[in-house]
Amino acid sequence: DGGITQSPKYLFRKEGQNVTLSCEQNLNHDAMYWYRQDPGQGLRLIYYSQIVNDFQKGDIAEGYSVSREKKESFPLTVTSAQKNPTAFYLCASSIALETEAFFGQGTRLTVV
Amino acid sequence: SQKIEQNSEALNIQEGKTATLTCNYTNYSPAYLQWYRQDPGRGPVFLLLIRENEKEKRKERLKVTFDTTLKQSLFHITASQPADSATYLCALAPGTYKYIFGTGTRLKVLA
């Protein structure tokens, strides 16, 4: 089945630690995205990538980093510089402009 | 500044009625607009896309309108069912890869 897979579903992190969220797609999509969702704030764009080996900052990139070494994979690292990392993180992909985004099931990150 | 507004208050309607959700935007000239459904703890799922030169789009019990003069989209669910209860998000794409999402409206259909 084609789709987009995020792992893990739940993640706990101690303050001061970096953590990496996985996102893999087998839809052969060029564009991939990372969003953060907080209650009452909707989805906010962290990073996006239009093509392999290229990515751009979104609206809230501070404290996050990404890589796009393969078309299928777009991992997100939440660094210790992110002051309020507890949130629901969503990865998405799309084939091109004017097409829908396909979302993963999300990773809920909690800092303990 | 650029802004997308959806009614943040929950919408409760009786089963069988038509639900109407609103998406207003300012300072954009979107090439197209999308609607998504999101269930609690899950990722959004695409429902409909409407382009700036289209006034209306339908899919089964769903209907979307797009008024670029009013800068507004309306999302209708006819003959609503309890299974339609979810949060509905609108998203704009102003001609780039960057989708811009509204905060969503929570719909509850009462049996």
Side-chain angles (χ1 to χ4, degrees):
Chain A
D1 286 339
I4 183 163
T5 302
Q6 289 186 244
S7 61
K9 189 172 176 61
Y10 299 97
L11 189 55
F12 296 88
R13 188 195 92 173
K14 291 184 179 179
E15 282 194 32
Q17 286 182 338
N18 292 355
V19 65
T20 298
L21 282 59
S22 171
C23 179
E24 303 278 333
Q25 55 101 356
N26 61 3
L27 299 167
N28 200 32
H29 287 172
D30 284 317
M32 296 187 74
Y33 317 78
W34 274 105
Y35 290 91
R36 170 181 172 141
Q37 188 173 34
D38 295 282
Q41 294 202 41
L43 276 66
R44 291 185 290 168
L45 184 64
I46 305 173
Y47 269 98
Y48 66 103
S49 169
Q50 298 182 20
I51 199 168
V52 174
N53 293 322
D54 182 65
F55 50 82
Q56 306 294 329
K57 291 183 180 180
D59 301 316
I60 55 164
E62 185 176 350
Y64 300 98
S65 66
V66 293
S67 63
R68 188 85 187 276
E69 296 176 0
K70 298 186 299 182
K71 188 175 187 177
E72 312 81 61
S73 179
F74 192 40
L76 173 74
T77 296
V78 184
T79 74
S80 56
Q82 169 50 235
K83 298 303 179 191
N84 185 22
T86 295
F88 189 49
Y89 291 88
L90 287 160
C91 180
S93 70
S94 66
I95 193 167
L97 290 176
E98 299 190 12
T99 62
E100 67 267 31
F102 290 78
F103 283 84
Q105 290 305 297
T107 293
R108 188 166 298 280
L109 173 64
T110 304
V111 174
V112 296
Chain B
S1 63
Q2 298 173 326
K3 207 171 172 183
I4 303 174
E5 287 184 341
Q6 293 185 258
N7 192 342
S8 59
E9 293 182 13
L11 176 64
N12 294 335
I13 64 165
Q14 209 63 38
E15 182 177 7
K17 300 292 186 183
T18 296
T20 298
L21 285 67
T22 303
C23 177
N24 294 303
Y25 60 93
T26 58
N27 297 329
Y28 289 117
S29 295
Y32 56 97
L33 186 147
Q34 303 177 9
W35 283 89
Y36 291 80
R37 168 184 173 140
Q38 186 176 24
D39 292 289
R42 303 180 73 87
V45 174
F46 171 79
L47 295 174
L48 279 169
L49 178 151
I50 186 165
R51 292 182 170 80
E52 60 181 338
N53 60 349
E54 297 175 319
K55 296 292 186 188
E56 183 180 296
K57 201 81 166 281
R58 291 177 184 262
K59 179 182 176 183
E60 298 172 352
R61 294 184 295 112
L62 309 180
K63 184 178 84 171
V64 171
T65 62
F66 193 11
D67 189 326
T68 55
T69 302
L70 292 177
K71 294 187 181 295
Q72 181 181 80
S73 175
L74 298 178
F75 177 79
H76 306 273
I77 306 176
T78 59
S80 59
Q81 304 165 1
D84 296 326
S85 298
T87 295
Y88 291 86
L89 308 168
C90 70
L92 298 180
T96 71
Y97 279 97
K98 293 174 64 176
Y99 299 91
I100 303 160
F101 283 82
T103 55
T105 297
R106 192 166 71 248
L107 172 69
K108 186 169 183 179
V109 181
L110 306 169

